[in-house]
């Protein structure tokens, strides 16, 4: 059986304060240029993967030799909200984990990325909408992300969730 061709998309925005990364690995409804076409992610695109219990890895720069966490062990948690695919990642005490934490604290990371296989997509002209994807991994990237709206921050405390004006909000503590 051939391995699936996994596509990768990256996003930006990292700040630091601790050993737990939090933020968004993907955001919904944002157009981004990928080579010669435009792509956007539809709300719910990750629903099937998350419901399946698939083991999704957290990697450094899509490098399978630099595992930072995984869903099956609980060191990576993922959930969808109205903004996109949110994640929390407890960094390991490995060289890769220490490097990511140090770069995040300095503000030197490029953002987040995700590796996937599209299972439901719609093309309208040169615009591709991802309606469902089989998620394989999320990655902390050191360079430039494709989706600049994603965020990552290093945290000491878990995110705080609340309702404001009828909208669910997620507060993250960060430091300068």
């Amino acid at each position: 059986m051939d391995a699936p061709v996994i596509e990768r998309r990256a996003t930006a925005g990292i700040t630091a304060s601790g050993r737990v990364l939090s933020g968004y690995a993907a955001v919904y409804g944002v157009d981004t240029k990928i080579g010669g076409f435009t792509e956007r992610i539809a709300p719910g695109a990750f629903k099937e993967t998350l419901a399946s219990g698939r083991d999704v890895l957290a990697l450094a720069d899509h490098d399978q030799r630099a595992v930072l966490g995984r869903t099956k062990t609980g060191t990576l948690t993922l959930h969808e909200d109205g903004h996109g695919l949110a994640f929390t990642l407890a960094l390991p005490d490995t060289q890769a984990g220490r490097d990511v934490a140090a770069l995040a604290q300095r503000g030197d990371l490029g953002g987040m990325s995700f590796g996937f296989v599209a299972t439901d997509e719609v093309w309208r002209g040169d615009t591709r909408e991802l309606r469902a994807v089989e998620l394989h991994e999320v990655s902390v990237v050191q360079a430039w992300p494709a989706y600049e709206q994603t965020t990552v921050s290093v945290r000491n405390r878990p995110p705080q969730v609340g309702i404001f004006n009828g909208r669910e909000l997620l507060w993250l503590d960060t430091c300068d």
Side-chain angles (χ1 to χ4, degrees):
M1 183 165 148
D2 293 331
V5 176
I6 298 174
E7 298 183 53
R8 293 182 172 91
R9 297 295 182 267
T11 55
I14 299 177
T15 58
S17 170
R19 299 270 319 152
V20 177
L21 293 178
S22 299
Y24 286 90
V27 293
Y28 299 138
V30 176
D31 288 352
T32 193
K33 285 292 198 184
I34 306 290
F37 65 95
T38 300
E39 185 175 81
R40 90 177 53 92
I41 304 166
F46 303 96
K47 180 180 179 180
E48 290 176 23
T49 292
L50 298 179
S52 75
R54 165 189 270 289
D55 186 26
V56 178
L57 300 179
L59 305 175
D61 288 315
H62 300 290
D63 185 348
Q64 296 173 8
R65 295 166 299 181
V67 174
L68 299 173
R70 60 191 325 142
T71 56
K72 82 174 183 182
T73 62
T75 54
L76 170 66
T77 59
L78 300 166
H79 74 275
E80 287 187 295
D81 62 20
H83 185 66
L85 179 64
F87 76 94
T88 301
L89 170 63
L91 291 171
D93 187 19
T94 62
Q95 189 61 53
R98 290 187 298 272
D99 288 351
V100 166
L103 291 169
Q105 290 169 352
R106 289 170 37 122
D108 288 342
L109 291 176
M112 289 299 295
S113 181
F114 61 101
F116 67 97
V117 173
T119 57
D120 184 6
E121 61 186 11
V122 174
W123 285 89
R124 289 188 181 90
D126 68 348
T127 300
R128 176 192 196 195
E129 181 178 60
L130 297 172
R131 292 188 173 175
V133 301
E134 182 180 274
L135 184 64
H136 289 263
E137 51 97 358
V138 297
S139 280
V140 179
V141 294
Q142 296 181 49
W144 301 279
Y147 287 87
E148 295 181 8
Q149 295 77 14
T150 60
T151 59
V152 177
S153 48
V154 180
R155 313 177 32 76
N156 288 317
R157 295 187 315 204
Q160 304 297 310
V161 178
I163 304 293
F164 180 74
N165 287 341
R167 293 179 59 200
E168 183 178 73
L169 300 177
L170 177 69
W171 287 274
L172 304 176
D173 64 329
T174 61
C175 72
D176 298 341

